[in-house]
Amino acid sequence: MRNNFKFLINWWKTIMSLHLDTKTVFVLIGLGHLFTSILIGAYWYGQPRNKLLHIFLIGKCTESVAWLGSALRPDHPSLFYLLSINSMLFIAATCEIMALRSLQEELSRRTKRMYYSLAALSIAGFLLLELFYNQESARVAYSSVVTTVILFPVYRMISRGSTLLMRVTGSLYVLVFAMACLKGVFSLLADNQLETFTPGVYETLMVLSLFLLMIVENSGFVLLLKEKSDQELIRLASYDDLTNTLNRRAFASQADRRLSEHARKGMPISFLLFDIDNFKDINDTFGHIVGDQVLQDMTSQIKSQLDMEALFVRYGGDEFGLMLLGKNENESDRLIGKIQESLGDAAARGLPAPYEISIGVLTVVPDQQTRLNVLYSACDKALYAAKNRGRNHVYRGQLDA
């Protein structure tokens, strides 16, 4: 253990002793952001307008100009030069966090206004700092803290509900934030006058944090964008556009897996098949737009009564199915009563057409030979029997021997 600790100390000292040409590093970072902008722009060209990509692309272009401009820093930079470079970096960080929040669907108009105000205050604060305390150490500490504050909401990616890619990206951002804060503290505590292009521990920390941030920013965003696109494709392939319920193929795949699981556990499953009574009359009387609204209202009301385990499918038209996992006859009967009650008083929800549903229901404890098509066939017969009894009826069927 002691040898390993000594190895880590020696490794850290070696890293800290490396001298890197800072101006060259700034050029490489600027080119890295520039090439990222070119690739994103090429991807974006010809695509439908995407505000998320637009915001991120503006940020990358601004950041590229800022770092390339930093590489041309004169020995005695003017106030205008310092203000321009740091303002572009603050704007780039603001665009980046707005793009990331938009990726997580957390960017409201109020949040946008907050970030615009934060960017303006950051620039104003830097100007005041330059006017009344023109020191490199204070300037570095201020820029590090402000950039960290602007980007800090990415820690929300580490939450439990996030994907693994989001959690890893958020963790890397936090690591970069820690390095930025360390850089700011070191600049304030430095005994001698701090110079950005002077070889030393500060320069090495700065270069490492900038490289890590560039990799996390560019690679992380592109991968997160790809992940979101993949999730959207999966959703489109698995869900009905109108009602956001499962389509036949996705439901069949999930239902077969759940049937097998519950067969091993010896747990019951209740299967419901239902449709809207006289739905054709609703379409003919009020039009298909109202018919679609009725379908959306029905699925919304039913979803509010379901737990996370239930599988909800649209077979087609106004025919839907529900697989209630772990629900016996009494539990499924109580849920059916709640569903029927929730569909009443459609006028209070803004619908011109009242509606009711008829339901065929079946409860079984499946075995390894139980198949979805057999359950569907038995429920279809039960639904037909419910229809024969009139509107808003429920009929409980049984499997054939």
Side-chain angles (χ1 to χ4, degrees), residues 77 79 82 128-139 193:
L79 173 61
L82 293 172
L128 292 175
L129 183 68
E130 285 299 296
L131 290 174
F132 297 104
Y133 192 74
N134 185 13
Q135 295 293 329
E136 181 78 8
S137 58
R139 186 185 305 133
Q193 181 67 23

Side-chain angles (χ1 to χ4, degrees), residues 122-191:
S122 301
I123 295 171
F126 186 86
L127 177 60
L128 292 175
L129 183 68
E130 285 299 296
L131 290 174
F132 297 104
Y133 192 74
N134 185 13
Q135 295 293 329
E136 181 78 8
S137 58
R139 186 185 305 133
V140 169
Y142 178 85
S143 299
S144 300
V145 170
V146 167
T147 304
T148 299
V149 169
I150 292 174
L151 290 173
F152 192 71
V154 297
Y155 81 91
R156 296 164 64 91
M157 291 184 179
I158 311 176
S159 62
R160 183 177 296 179
S162 302
T163 64
L164 177 60
L165 177 61
M166 279 190 175
R167 293 198 297 270
V168 171
T169 303
S171 300
L172 291 175
Y173 263 107
V174 171
L175 174 63
V176 174
F177 294 159
M179 293 184 67
C181 291
L182 183 62
K183 179 182 69 175
V185 170
F186 181 83
S187 67
L188 290 176
L189 298 179
D191 295 331

Side-chain angles (χ1 to χ4, degrees), residues 36 48 52 58 61 108-109 118 135 141 152 215 243 262 264 302 316 320 325 351 382 394:
T36 300
L52 186 153
I58 291 174
C61 291
S108 63
R109 290 184 178 179
L118 183 58
Q135 295 293 329
F152 192 71
I215 293 170
T243 61
H262 282 65
R264 290 195 302 270
I302 292 177
F320 292 81
L325 303 171
L351 290 175
V394 179

Side-chain angles (χ1 to χ4, degrees), residues 260-287:
S260 179
E261 291 174 358
H262 282 65
R264 290 195 302 270
K265 297 176 182 178
M267 297 178 62
I269 282 179
S270 292
F271 186 66
L272 282 67
L273 198 64
F274 57 92
D275 61 19
I276 298 174
D277 295 323
N278 301 322
F279 184 65
K280 184 178 182 301
D281 293 341
I282 294 176
N283 280 328
D284 293 342
T285 304
F286 298 96

Side-chain angles (χ1 to χ4, degrees), residues 55 94-103 107 112 115-116:
I55 294 171
T94 303
C95 289
E96 182 178 348
I97 190 60
M98 287 172 63
L100 289 170
R101 295 291 296 273
S102 178
L103 194 66
L107 189 64
K112 282 183 182 180
Y115 281 121
Y116 293 149

Side-chain angles (χ1 to χ4, degrees), residues 12-294:
W12 178 252
K13 288 181 177 178
T14 302
I15 294 295
M16 291 295 102
S17 65
L18 292 176
H19 170 51
L20 302 172
D21 183 354
T22 308
K23 290 189 176 183
T24 303
V25 170
F26 284 174
V27 171
L28 293 176
I29 292 175
L31 291 176
H33 289 302
L34 178 62
F35 291 149
T36 300
S37 303
I38 293 173
L39 290 174
I40 292 177
Y43 171 79
W44 183 34
Y45 183 78
Q47 299 286 335
R49 183 175 178 82
N50 188 322
K51 291 183 179 180
L52 186 153
L53 279 176
H54 191 191
I55 294 171
F56 189 77
L57 186 58
I58 291 174
K60 290 297 101 180
C61 291
T62 305
E63 194 167 5
S64 177
V65 173
W67 289 121
L68 291 174
S70 297
L72 302 175
R73 172 175 167 160
D75 293 335
H76 301 287
S78 65
L79 173 61
F80 177 76
Y81 171 86
L82 293 172
L83 181 62
S84 299
I85 294 297
N86 284 275
S87 296
M88 285 189 286
L89 291 176
F90 296 151
I91 291 171
T94 303
C95 289
E96 182 178 348
I97 190 60
M98 287 172 63
L100 289 170
R101 295 291 296 273
S102 178
L103 194 66
Q104 296 176 279
E105 298 181 354
E106 296 178 345
L107 189 64
S108 63
R109 290 184 178 179
R110 182 179 179 182
T111 306
K112 282 183 182 180
R113 289 194 295 269
M114 181 192 72
Y115 281 121
Y116 293 149
S117 301
L118 183 58
L121 290 173
S122 301
I123 295 171
F126 186 86
L127 177 60
L128 292 175
L129 183 68
E130 285 299 296
L131 290 174
F132 297 104
Y133 192 74
N134 185 13
Q135 295 293 329
E136 181 78 8
S137 58
R139 186 185 305 133
V140 169
Y142 178 85
S143 299
S144 300
V145 170
V146 167
T147 304
T148 299
V149 169
I150 292 174
L151 290 173
F152 192 71
V154 297
Y155 81 91
R156 296 164 64 91
M157 291 184 179
I158 311 176
S159 62
R160 183 177 296 179
S162 302
T163 64
L164 177 60
L165 177 61
M166 279 190 175
R167 293 198 297 270
V168 171
T169 303
S171 300
L172 291 175
Y173 263 107
V174 171
L175 174 63
V176 174
F177 294 159
M179 293 184 67
C181 291
L182 183 62
K183 179 182 69 175
V185 170
F186 181 83
S187 67
L188 290 176
L189 298 179
D191 295 331
N192 56 342
Q193 181 67 23
L194 183 67
E195 294 292 342
T196 301
F197 297 106
T198 301
V201 176
Y202 165 74
E203 183 194 40
T204 306
L205 271 176
M206 179 184 65
V207 169
L208 286 175
S209 62
L210 290 178
F211 262 116
L212 281 175
L213 185 59
M214 182 181 69
I215 293 170
V216 174
E217 284 177 347
N218 299 342
S219 302
F221 180 81
V222 171
L223 289 173
L224 287 171
L225 185 62
K226 178 67 167 60
E227 181 182 57
K228 182 173 182 176
S229 298
D230 290 344
Q231 291 173 343
E232 182 63 17
L233 288 174
I234 292 173
R235 192 195 69 80
L236 291 173
S238 303
Y239 287 84
D240 174 65
D241 288 339
L242 180 65
T243 61
N244 200 32
T245 55
L246 292 169
N247 59 29
R248 277 176 173 251
R249 183 182 61 180
F251 174 75
S253 175
Q254 295 187 35
D256 285 339
R257 185 174 68 253
R258 294 305 181 90
L259 281 171
S260 179
E261 291 174 358
H262 282 65
R264 290 195 302 270
K265 297 176 182 178
M267 297 178 62
I269 282 179
S270 292
F271 186 66
L272 282 67
L273 198 64
F274 57 92
D275 61 19
I276 298 174
D277 295 323
N278 301 322
F279 184 65
K280 184 178 182 301
D281 293 341
I282 294 176
N283 280 328
D284 293 342
T285 304
F286 298 96
H288 289 277
I289 293 179
V290 173
D292 289 345
Q293 291 173 351
V294 167

